Amino acid sequence: MSAPSIALNRFGLGARPDDMPPGAGVDGARRALIAQFDRFDPRPTQITALPGRGVIAGQLADYLAGPRPMGNRQAMMQMPAATVPPGATENPDEPEAIKRVRAFLRMQGRENYVACVGARANTALVSPAPFIERMVHFWANHFAVSADKLTVIGLAGYLELEAIRPHVLGRFSDMLNAVERHPAMLLYLDQAQSIGPASPIGVRVAARGGRKLGINENLAREIMELHTLGVRTGYGQGDVTEFARAMTGWTVAGINRGPIARFAGTNGTPGDFVFSNAIHEPGPRTIMGKRYPQDGEAQAQAVLNDLAVHPATADHIAMKLARHFAGDTPPPALVARLKAAFLQSGGDLPTLYRALIASAELWGDAPTKFRSPWDWSIAALRAMGARDVPAQQVTGLTNQLGQPTWRPGSPAGFDDLNATWAGADAVVRRVEAAERFGGRAGGNIDARMLAPRLFPGALSSATQAAIANADSPGQALALMLVSPEFLRR
C-alpha cells in the first residue's frame, strides 16, 4: 500500500476525485497530514446552519413540562428516533399524551437528529482536513451517547458539535471537561437527576416524609471505566460511589422535574450546564487514595483534572488510538510510544496525532482495519464526488448498514474491531448499497479512471481487472466500492 493511499484512506476518510495527491513518499504524505491541522474548521457552514442547542433543549423542556403517558411510556421511549412515521400524530383515537410523545419524537428525531446527521456527513464529504474529521468521529465514539434515549434524541449530535469539535486539536482534559458538562451526557447517564441524600434538598425532602432521594452513579462509573482510566485499573466500587457524590449538583438548566425543579435553583436557559449546591452532597471525598476537600463544583472538577492525566488514562487512550489505526492487536511499541506522548505532553492531542503520523507501523503495505459502516459510507460518497447529500439518505444508509449515527446501544460506543463489521451479512448489505450507487450513477462515473486516483499506487491487478471487465459503468463502480482496497483501510 503506497504512502499517498495510506494518507488518504487509513488516516483520512477516503479520496475525492478532485483531491490532489497528498505528497511523494512517506515524508510527503506525513507533511500533508500535518498540514491539515491548520485547515480544520470546527464550525463549518453545515454545522452553523443547525438550530442552536437552546432551541432543541427548549423543545425538550416544553415536552417534559406537559403530561406524558403512563402505560405506554417505556415503549414510546424506545421508539427509534429516526423512524417515527410521518403523520403519526394524526390518529384521533390515541390518548393526547401519546400524541404528544409522537409529536415530540417527530420534531426531535425526524427533524433535529436527522439534520445533525446530515451536517456531520456533509462536513466530512468536503472537509479540507479529513484526518482531523476522522479524529472527531473517533472521539465522539469514545465519549458515546445514544439518541435512542428520549431526552437525548435531539441533543446527541450537539455533544460532538459543541464538546468534541472545538477541542479535537486541544488537550484531552479540556475535551473531557466539555463532554462531562454537556447536557447530552448529563441526561444520557442520568446525572441531571442525581441528588445527595445529605444535600439541602435531600434533607428537606426526607424531613417531609417524601420519597428517598439518591445518588446516581452512572456518569461517575463511565467516566472512570470508559472515558479515562479503563476497566479495572486501580479503582473500586467505593471510588465510583465517592466520585458520584462529588458530582452531585452537576445538572442541566431548565429541563428538570420534581424536587430539583422546585427547590434547586436550576432555572436558566434550557440546556445549559449549571451547578446546584442545593443537591450537592457535602463533605470531603477520598478517591483512589487521594482526599478531595474542595467545596461544590470544584470537588468533581479536581477529580476530573486528575483522571485526565492519570497514567492509566494515557494507557487506555493509547491502546484505543493504536487499535483504530494499526489493527485489532496493535504493536506494543506503538501503544507505548503513544502513552509516552500523552504523558509527556499532558494530554496534548496534536502531539498524539503527530506520534501516530510518525509511526512506521502505520505505513506498511497491508490494510489493517475493516471499514466501519460509517467509514465505508463516507468513503463511498467522497469517491463519487458527493457534496450535499440529503440528511435522510445518510441516516437511512447508515441504519441499513448497521451503524446508526449516535445510537451505539451502550455508553461504550460502537466496537472498533474487524469482526464486528466484517461478517457475511454486513458485507452483503454493502454489496446491495454499492449496486444501488452504481445504478444511480449510470455512466456518469468511470471507475476505471477513478480507482487509481482513490488508491494511488495501491490498486491490485485483480481489482483493476474486475473493474475493466465489468458489463457496465454502473457495475464497475459497484465492484470498486466492494473491492478489498475499498472495504479496508
Side-chain angles (χ1 to χ4, degrees):
M1 193 171 182
S2 70
S5 185
I6 289 172
L8 290 168
N9 294 285
R10 183 171 301 165
F11 286 92
L13 298 174
R16 293 182 55 85
D18 52 357
D19 277 346
M20 295 294 292
V26 173
D27 289 343
R30 283 173 170 159
R31 286 193 296 271
L33 289 172
I34 291 173
Q36 292 184 27
F37 292 21
D38 294 329
R39 298 202 297 267
F40 174 73
D41 183 358
R43 286 184 55 80
T45 56
Q46 296 90 340
I47 288 171
T48 56
L50 293 169
R53 168 164 45 93
V55 174
I56 310 303
Q59 295 169 353
L60 174 59
D62 290 343
Y63 167 74
L64 294 176
R68 291 174 303 284
M70 299 301 292
N72 294 328
R73 182 180 177 189
Q74 189 62 34
M76 295 302 300
M77 289 179 69
Q78 298 303 317
M79 182 179 291
T83 58
V84 181
T89 61
E90 299 175 3
N91 182 352
D93 297 325
E94 283 186 330
E96 191 61 32
I98 294 291
K99 292 181 181 179
R100 290 189 72 254
V101 177
R102 290 189 179 277
F104 175 77
L105 288 172
R106 185 180 69 248
M107 180 170 54
Q108 293 263 300
R110 285 221 319 272
E111 297 175 12
N112 298 328
Y113 165 81
V114 172
C116 281
V117 174
R120 183 197 213 215
N122 285 310
T123 296
L125 294 183
V126 299
S127 173
F131 170 49
I132 309 304
E133 295 293 341
R134 171 174 292 284
M135 299 317 306
V136 169
H137 304 159
F138 170 86
W139 290 116
N141 192 58
H142 177 76
F143 295 110
V145 296
S146 179
D148 281 329
K149 188 167 184 174
L150 183 144
T151 54
V152 184
I153 295 170
L155 292 168
Y158 284 80
L159 183 136
E160 178 177 317
L161 307 183
E162 297 177 334
I164 303 294
R165 294 189 69 87
H167 301 289
V168 71
L169 290 172
R171 288 187 176 274
F172 177 76
S173 58
D174 294 333
M175 183 184 292
L176 177 69
N177 275 281
V179 165
E180 309 309 350
R181 282 175 165 81
H182 197 275
M185 185 64 72
L186 294 169
L187 292 169
Y188 176 51
L189 292 176
D190 304 309
Q191 179 62 37
Q193 293 289 325
S194 185
I195 302 175
S199 68
I201 286 191
V203 172
R204 182 175 181 176
V205 172
R208 292 183 173 186
R211 65 182 178 86
K212 185 177 180 181
L213 302 179
I215 293 169
N216 191 293
E217 298 183 355
N218 290 351
L219 181 57
R221 178 177 293 104
E222 304 308 358
I223 288 175
M224 301 179 90
E225 182 174 306
L226 300 176
H227 300 172
T228 59
L229 305 172
V231 180
R232 294 184 294 276
T233 49
Y235 66 91
Q237 176 56 41
D239 298 308
V240 172
T241 300
E242 283 290 274
F243 187 22
R245 289 175 176 142
M247 292 203 77
T248 51
W250 288 43
T251 186
V252 183
I255 57 176
N256 278 301
R257 306 187 301 278
I260 297 179
R262 291 196 299 273
F263 309 123
T266 57
N267 291 329
T269 302
D272 282 355
F273 170 81
V274 65
F275 177 78
S276 173
N277 197 61
I279 59 174
H280 177 65
E281 184 76 358
R285 313 261 77 90
T286 298
I287 299 168
M288 297 178 68
K290 181 174 179 178
R291 190 171 186 270
Y292 293 89
Q294 293 87 347
D295 293 326
E297 181 183 350
Q299 189 172 70
Q301 177 65 67
V303 181
L304 268 185
N305 289 344
D306 287 344
L307 293 176
V309 295
H310 195 281
T313 298
D315 192 54
H316 183 51
I317 298 302
M319 174 58 77
K320 290 192 73 171
L321 276 170
R323 184 183 296 125
H324 186 73
F325 286 95
D328 293 356
T329 309
L334 173 61
V335 178
R337 201 177 309 126
L338 291 171
K339 178 179 180 179
F342 187 103
L343 292 173
Q344 291 166 8
S345 69
D348 180 67
L349 298 182
T351 298
L352 281 178
Y353 306 155
R354 289 187 177 93
L356 282 166
I357 292 169
S359 296
E361 296 94 332
L362 301 185
W363 297 91
D365 290 336
T368 58
K369 294 293 290 188
F370 198 88
R371 276 177 162 147
S372 70
W374 173 264
D375 266 351
W376 184 85
S377 299
I378 295 301
L381 292 168
R382 284 175 63 89
M384 294 183 291
R387 290 186 173 273
D388 189 12
V389 179
Q392 191 65 57
Q393 180 181 333
V394 178
T395 305
L397 177 61
T398 53
N399 287 351
Q400 179 214 341
L401 296 181
Q403 192 182 19
T405 309
W406 304 312
R407 291 170 55 199
S410 86
F414 289 105
D415 282 346
D416 198 7
L417 300 172
N418 286 335
T420 302
W421 308 118
D425 180 65
V427 173
V428 168
R429 294 185 190 186
R430 296 192 196 192
V431 170
E432 293 170 348
E435 290 173 343
R436 289 198 300 273
F437 283 140
R440 292 170 187 165
N444 295 325
I445 297 177
D446 186 346
R448 293 171 300 177
M449 299 293 293
L450 177 60
R453 293 184 61 84
L454 303 180
F455 304 95
L459 204 61
S460 71
S461 57
T463 297
Q464 288 178 312
I467 294 172
N469 295 327
D471 292 336
S472 67
Q475 186 186 65
L477 176 61
L479 289 170
M480 183 195 76
L481 294 177
V482 293
S483 65
E485 292 88 343
F486 213 99
L487 290 175
R488 295 181 176 269
R489 59 177 180 83

